[in-house]
Every structure is written in structure tokens, then in C-alpha cells.
Amino acid sequence: MSSTSELNRLFAQLRAAAPVGYTAGLHIRFATPLVYQSTYDPKWLEHYTLNAYALRDPMIAWGLSTEGQTRWSEIELPDPFKIWRQAAEFGLNYGMAVSCGPVQSRSIVGCSRSDREFTDAEIAKIATIVRTLHEVSEPQTDLTQAQLQALRCIAGGDRHAAAAARLGISESALKARLVSARERLMARTTSEAIQKAKEIKLL
């Protein structure tokens, strides 16, 4: 099973375990996760983003300073912007967080439900899923020379036809190299693959 397929399978498990949704930031480096996914209400996500709450969220502050799992209600950090109170207006009444990995590549996941607190058993199950997500999404530190050449051409501004000509290969062969590079870097687009390759110093 490919890493992407495994990620999709694990995210499906997380979705089933978090009735109101989740937000996952995997391998956060320089304040940006290499893999990000959220199933929260889009209106809440828009409100959260517009107000730059990621910089003020006590759950994220907890996750960056602590490894483990906890309920939101057990995080003893100030919430001066009343983020959790606002989240409840969108149905995120109860929640939990999992944080794992070294601080320079930390994964933080928040899950929510509207009806009650997560049980200890539910928290343990979600924590296992999150730690597996962290392991599966570990960024690749190597690409083949052919994959790197293809990414460099596109990063340099070449279109597919020009890049293929520069490398002396067919356009279909170039596209195959880009697809394999995206798969290895767990990127949805070539642009995302280029960005990830730059972040881990491959380009």
C-alpha cells in the first residue's frame, strides 16, 4: 500500500472517530505542516483563519510544548481570545488533542464532538491513529536523480514540453517522473511537491 493510500485510510479512521471533525497538522516545520487536513465546518475554518487563531490557539501552544494526549478542557493555558467559546458556536463543544514527534517536526491533531467529552478509550484510539499518521507521513529525504531533474525543470519555469526536451525524454516520461515524485513526497500537486522538496533541502 502506498503512503498516500495509507494516509487516506488513517484519515478516514480519524473522521469516523471525530463526529464534528478534526484538524491535523503533520510534521510542523517553520510553523507550516508538511501535511494538513481539516474536516471542521468551513465557516469555522474561515473565521479561525481570518482571525489568525493558529498563532493564539491554546491547543496549538499546548501541542508545541507537550507530547501526549489530552481533552481540551484539561489544557490549563489562557485563552484570552475566547477561541474555544467561539468554536462551541460552530458545534465544537468538546475536544481533544494529540501531539507527537520531535519539536522540530511536531504533529498536532485536534478532534471534536458536540455531545460529550471523549472517553479515555476513545482518546487512546485516536492517539494511536495520530501516531501512525505521524510515522507514515515522515517526509522522504531522498528522490531519484530523475525525479529531482524533473522537479528542477518545472521549478525553474519550464512547461512540460520544454522540460521534456531539456531532459531528452518524452513528455509522458516527464509526467511519470513528476507523478512518482509527488507520490514519494505525498504531495497533491507538482507545485506542492516542489515546495516540500525545498523545505527538506532536496532542491
Side-chain angles (χ1 to χ4, degrees):
M1 181 181 291
S2 73
S3 295
T4 301
S5 296
E6 180 68 358
L7 276 178
N8 289 337
R9 185 184 70 81
L10 291 164
F11 278 132
Q13 291 182 5
L14 199 58
R15 191 175 303 113
V20 180
Y22 66 82
T23 289
L26 307 179
H27 293 282
I28 299 169
R29 299 178 173 192
F30 308 108
T32 303
L34 291 181
V35 177
Y36 173 82
Q37 189 170 117
S38 183
T39 61
Y40 287 145
D41 183 337
K43 292 181 180 178
W44 166 243
L45 293 177
E46 180 182 13
H47 179 72
Y48 188 96
T49 302
L50 286 174
N51 288 281
Y53 281 162
L55 302 173
R56 303 159 172 171
D57 192 335
M59 188 199 82
I60 293 178
W62 172 88
L64 291 172
S65 62
T66 308
E67 279 194 272
Q69 59 265 358
T70 188
R71 296 175 181 88
W72 291 350
S73 60
E74 296 168 345
I75 295 176
E76 296 182 352
L77 290 174
D79 182 19
F81 293 90
K82 310 299 182 186
I83 295 172
W84 279 327
R85 180 184 298 173
Q86 294 175 59
E89 296 174 7
F90 292 83
L92 286 71
N93 297 320
Y94 302 93
M96 58 156 292
V98 181
S99 172
C100 62
V103 70
Q104 66 270 22
S105 192
R106 182 67 51 88
S107 291
I108 303 173
V109 175
C111 298
S112 185
R113 58 186 308 140
S114 61
D115 53 347
R116 59 171 174 78
E117 293 277 18
F118 285 91
T119 66
D120 289 346
E122 289 168 339
I123 291 173
K125 178 181 178 180
I126 290 171
T128 298
I129 295 170
V130 172
R131 291 190 179 96
T132 307
L133 277 167
H134 179 81
E135 292 171 7
V136 170
S137 62
E138 183 73 38
Q140 297 293 331
T141 57
D142 63 319
L143 290 176
T144 67
Q145 194 60 35
Q147 291 166 339
L148 285 171
Q149 287 174 341
L151 287 177
R152 284 194 189 103
C153 286
I154 302 303
D158 285 344
R159 295 186 179 277
H160 285 175
R166 182 190 299 273
L167 297 174
I169 60 176
S170 68
E171 195 168 338
S172 61
L174 174 83
K175 289 179 180 177
R177 292 182 184 185
L178 293 173
V179 168
S180 62
R182 291 200 301 267
E183 176 72 20
R184 192 155 181 80
L185 293 168
M186 290 181 289
R188 290 165 293 185
T189 65
T190 298
S191 294
E192 187 178 330
I194 290 168
Q195 182 60 36
K196 288 187 175 186
K198 288 179 178 178
E199 287 173 353
I200 56 179
K201 310 302 182 187
L202 294 179
L203 290 179

